[in-house]
Amino acid sequence: MSLQAYKTAAARAESPREMEYRLFGQVTRALTHAATVDQADLKTRIDALDWNRRLWSALATDCSDPDNALASPMRAQIISISLFVSRHSSAVMRGEEDFEALIDINRMIMQGLAGALEAA
């Protein structure tokens, strides 16, 4: 029985790109939902923005590691996007901007990840 459970778990294991795609999908769904709720629903809005900001912060931290295998220009772009996401999220929280730019960025990243998955 435990061998079968191991085989099932191994078959379901995700590659890092698949995991990133799934995580971006979850965060983007949260942002999309938060964009539709009443502005008075601060918890939903702030939770989605915070989750997205933490995702991008983790990516930027990973890209700042000199041992990261990505090319330097790509790492710099990811860090730059992370900084934009942080600034824009603050503006959304203040009611000065909307969620669309954040949702669009995540969807573009998901498209890139999906293309890489298809190529693999």
Side-chain angles (χ1 to χ4, degrees):
M1 184 107 152
S2 63
L3 179 59
Q4 184 58 37
Y6 174 77
K7 286 181 181 178
T8 301
R12 291 185 186 163
E14 296 175 305
S15 72
R17 283 194 191 279
E18 290 168 329
M19 190 181 327
E20 289 171 348
Y21 183 89
R22 182 176 49 81
L23 181 56
F24 267 103
Q26 292 169 341
V27 171
T28 305
R29 276 191 298 279
L31 289 172
T32 302
H33 172 69
T36 66
V37 301
D38 188 279
Q39 287 199 1
D41 186 355
L42 294 177
K43 179 175 178 11
T44 299
R45 294 169 61 87
I46 289 174
D47 284 351
L49 289 166
D50 180 56
W51 190 13
N52 190 55
R53 188 183 291 189
R54 285 183 291 127
L55 169 60
W56 279 100
S57 178
L59 292 171
T61 299
D62 188 46
C63 285
S64 68
D65 183 346
D67 293 330
N68 187 299
L70 285 176
S72 292
M74 176 65 77
R75 291 172 31 206
Q77 289 174 342
I78 291 171
I79 292 169
S80 178
I81 293 170
S82 174
L83 293 171
F84 171 82
V85 165
S86 182
R87 285 189 309 270
H88 195 82
S89 296
S90 295
V92 173
M93 284 187 228
R94 291 189 305 268
E96 298 167 358
E97 293 288 349
D98 61 26
F99 285 84
E100 271 322 294
L102 301 173
I103 293 167
D104 289 344
I105 289 169
N106 285 6
R107 285 183 176 154
M108 285 186 269
I109 296 298
M110 290 175 69
Q111 288 172 349
L113 289 169
L117 290 171
E118 290 174 8

